[in-house]
Amino acid sequence: MGIRLTIAALGATALTLSAAPAHAAGAGITDEVTMTLGKNGTLHVVEKISGAPGELKRTFITRTRYDDGNDRVYQISNVKGGTLAGDVLTVKGDGTVEYDVKGAVTTSGGVEELRWFAVNGWSRQVAKATVKVNGPGQVQNLSCFAGELTSAIGCTSASMDHSATQADFEQENIAPGQALTVVIGYPKGSSSGTPILEKRFSLASAFTLNTVTGGALAGLLVLLLGGLALLYWTRGRDARVAGHAQGPVDPVQNGHFSPPDGVRPGQIGTLVDEQADVVDVTATIVDLAVRGYLRIDEQPRQTYDAPDWMLVRLPNAPVNALLPYERALYDAIFDGRDAVLLSQLSGSFAAHLGKVRDALYADVVRQGWFARRPDTERTRWTTIGVVLIAVGVLATAGLAWFTTYGLLGLAVIIAGGALAVGGQYMPAKTAKGSAALAHTMGFRQYLFSGELGDVPEQHRVELFSRYLPYAVIFDGVEHWSRVVASVTGNGHQSDNLYWYHGPAEWDLSKFAGSMRTFTTTTSGAISATRQFRTL
């Protein structure tokens, strides 16, 4: 008896196990699809859904790869029986849903081919799907594929009726994410349907170089860069000085030192390179010392000590006679003090440097050498160049995304970059400024010629000292410091100059090295960023 019960139990278990796959296979919905291709190339689809436990969603395939440069797009419209949001169709359960598809027809050879993913993207498994297709002509060929979108596996069955006007397809167990794709061929001209193609974005296609884009790029570059050249020709060139002759430099007039055209070192520096930089300020400090407004005292130091100098304000100096930029510098150095170490200016002086530069720029305009401040002119054109670059970037992005003319946007970027860089050369000297520059270059040539001329001995210390600040501007400190150190007082070597004092056991033989170190240290102390001039 126990044996019979055991056998019966095993049989029941086997029956249950054999029934499980059948139940699993039957789970899912049934989708009966009827498709009709009209003469206008629009595919009308009717789907009858049954076995749905509740709300269902279907994600349509509306875009596939067509070729290397294009995607094929399928447009779905006129949805009834469901709600379409983007590519997702929502239906409430069993019922019928209708919609139209455009772009499902293409011509291949002598055949007009209809291709559509009749069943795909349902949120539940489709246990059984049947598809009936009616077209505007006789079926020339047909095929179907089931599984993944790229699958080459045929569906369960594909056939046509005896009149070859209706095609029938069938497939079982289509999992979510899988598709049943049907392909039917009709005679060419059966409908007016064409594929809908959209160009796929790629850098290669966006920046296509061919006869049209290359010619347009070259033409735009010529136009833009030619316009920049014309702009510089009309606005950025220094005015010519008609009939100006650069005469010889006479360093001494009426027994006194005479700089070129009465120009101060800081003014020359701004005139030459159109920038008021720290070298101009350093030269002005030396000039104020030479002219008796302050004295430079080199401090004694041990072997490993950093060099330092004391700047001493001299009493009874006619500070009211200083030019505005010189007075701004003088006040910034002493700031109510009678003496200050150069090392104490490091870091704190940078806040005053902007005021000194502003005064220098205003001075060269006041002198009539520039019609507008060089810094303002540079900023204006450089800003326009940067804006043009930004416009070019936006134009390049837009042209590259929507067309194949992205190269044209690059031309605008190049022009903007040229203007941003060229803006540094836009400040233009007036005729008066050009004349002063010509005389200045003659003076520079005199300084480096080594020909000191017939200078009376009693004027040499003053003359050579007064020329030293100009040598700082022209990057000739080493050379001219040696000239200053060679002067004699009453036939004897001097230990100090009236404006520069050294520590004990210091004499003029060390002046060249001291002066070179002083100018370098001063430039570093008054600004975090040193700027050098190259002529």
Side-chain angles (χ1 to χ4, degrees):
M1 184 60 137
I3 294 175
R4 285 198 297 270
L5 288 174
T6 301
I7 294 174
L10 290 174
T13 302
L15 181 62
T16 301
L17 292 175
S18 63
H23 174 75
I29 61 175
T30 300
D31 192 2
E32 298 178 11
V33 183
T34 302
M35 305 194 307
T36 304
L37 179 62
K39 288 286 187 178
N40 61 355
T42 300
L43 180 67
H44 181 70
V45 183
V46 178
E47 293 190 46
K48 184 178 180 181
I49 303 162
S50 58
E55 182 179 270
L56 293 175
K57 291 184 180 293
R58 177 182 180 182
T59 303
F60 286 108
I61 298 174
T62 58
R63 181 182 296 269
T64 60
R65 186 179 187 278
Y66 184 76
D67 57 26
D68 291 340
N70 297 279
D71 286 338
R72 185 173 179 179
V73 177
Y74 301 87
Q75 296 179 347
I76 299 174
S77 60
N78 301 326
V79 177
K80 299 178 182 178
T83 303
L84 182 67
D87 296 338
V88 180
L89 173 69
T90 302
V91 295
K92 297 302 182 181
D94 290 355
T96 301
V97 60
E98 300 182 34
Y99 55 89
D100 292 334
V101 181
K102 292 183 179 180
V105 178
T106 185
T107 300
S108 178
V111 177
E112 200 170 78
E113 180 184 272
L114 167 66
R115 176 183 290 265
W116 179 236
F117 316 101
V119 180
N120 83 284
W122 284 107
S123 55
R124 290 182 60 85
Q125 175 175 302
V126 178
K128 183 176 182 180
T130 59
V131 181
K132 296 183 181 296
V133 184
N134 296 295
Q138 287 191 327
V139 175
Q140 303 294 300
N141 54 68
L142 57 83
S143 59
C144 61
F145 307 97
E148 301 298 329
L149 184 61
T150 57
S151 172
I153 300 174
C155 61
T156 302
S157 66
S159 62
M160 67 180 77
D161 63 1
H162 66 280
S163 63
T165 59
Q166 177 178 298
D168 297 286
F169 304 90
E170 185 175 322
Q171 178 64 34
E172 296 181 352
N173 299 328
I174 304 174
Q178 294 184 342
L180 169 61
T181 305
V182 298
V183 182
I184 306 102
Y186 295 102
K188 186 176 181 179
S190 297
S191 76
S192 58
T194 57
I196 301 173
L197 303 181
E198 286 188 3
K199 185 169 290 293
R200 188 185 311 111
F201 174 78
S202 68
L203 289 178
S205 61
F207 295 92
T208 301
L209 179 61
N210 51 38
T211 303
V212 176
T213 58
L217 174 63
L220 190 56
L221 281 175
V222 169
L223 180 64
L224 291 175
L225 297 182
L228 294 181
L230 180 62
L231 180 65
Y232 175 77
W233 185 265
T234 57
R235 293 289 301 272
R237 287 194 312 151
D238 293 342
R240 294 187 177 184
V241 184
H244 175 78
Q246 178 181 311
V249 174
D250 185 4
V252 179
Q253 295 180 2
N254 300 322
H256 297 284
F257 168 81
S258 176
D261 295 332
V263 181
R264 304 281 169 80
Q267 294 172 324
I268 283 184
T270 308
L271 174 68
V272 169
D273 66 355
E274 301 167 350
Q275 295 192 52
D277 51 32
V278 295
V279 177
D280 304 330
V281 178
T282 300
T284 301
I285 293 175
V286 177
D287 186 51
L288 291 176
V290 171
R291 289 161 51 202
Y293 289 90
L294 60 90
R295 189 181 68 246
I296 303 172
D297 291 348
E298 184 175 337
Q299 301 300 291
R301 60 189 177 99
Q302 299 299 322
T303 303
Y304 298 104
D305 290 344
D308 204 355
W309 291 262
M310 180 73 75
L311 304 182
V312 182
R313 178 161 56 180
L314 298 181
N316 303 321
V319 293
N320 292 331
L322 292 174
L323 295 176
Y325 81 89
E326 294 175 322
R327 182 60 184 269
L329 175 60
Y330 185 85
D331 292 341
I333 292 173
F334 294 108
D335 196 18
R337 301 167 292 196
D338 291 329
V340 61
L341 286 172
L342 184 62
S343 58
Q344 293 176 334
L345 296 180
S346 181
S348 63
F349 190 85
H352 302 284
L353 187 58
K355 296 180 179 179
V356 178
R357 284 175 169 168
D358 282 342
L360 260 174
Y361 283 126
D363 183 84
V364 294
V365 175
R366 190 182 306 111
Q367 295 290 337
W369 297 339
F370 295 90
R372 292 168 293 275
R373 286 179 49 139
D375 59 330
T376 302
E377 196 75 358
R378 275 192 297 271
T379 301
R380 175 188 303 164
W381 292 109
T382 300
T383 301
I384 294 174
V386 172
V387 171
L388 192 59
I389 290 174
V391 171
V393 170
L394 294 176
T396 300
L399 290 171
W401 186 262
F402 296 106
T403 71
T404 60
Y405 291 90
L407 288 175
L408 300 188
L410 295 181
V412 180
I413 295 176
I414 293 172
L419 184 57
V421 174
Q424 303 302 308
Y425 304 94
M426 287 304 291
K429 301 176 184 66
T430 62
K432 185 177 180 180
S434 297
L437 179 63
H439 197 175
T440 296
M441 292 298 99
F443 178 63
R444 178 181 182 273
Q445 184 178 358
Y446 165 79
L447 282 181
F448 290 98
S449 66
E451 299 177 3
L452 303 181
D454 186 16
V455 180
E457 185 173 330
Q458 65 271 22
H459 296 303
R460 288 186 178 182
V461 174
E462 178 194 5
L463 175 66
F464 296 160
S465 294
R466 292 291 297 274
Y467 275 13
L468 183 59
Y470 298 89
V472 173
I473 292 294
F474 295 130
D475 200 19
V477 173
E478 182 79 21
H479 168 75
W480 200 255
S481 295
R482 295 186 184 280
V483 174
V484 174
S486 69
V487 302
T488 58
N490 297 323
H492 301 286
Q493 183 73 37
S494 298
D495 291 335
N496 290 294
L497 296 172
Y498 67 91
W499 60 273
Y500 190 100
H501 289 180
E505 300 182 359
W506 183 94
D507 57 42
L508 284 181
S509 64
K510 302 176 182 178
F511 177 70
S514 295
M515 202 64 213
R516 180 182 65 251
T517 307
F518 173 78
T519 55
T520 302
T521 306
T522 302
S523 295
I526 64 178
S527 177
T529 304
R530 294 188 58 208
Q531 300 184 36
F532 296 92
R533 175 178 293 103
T534 301
L535 294 178

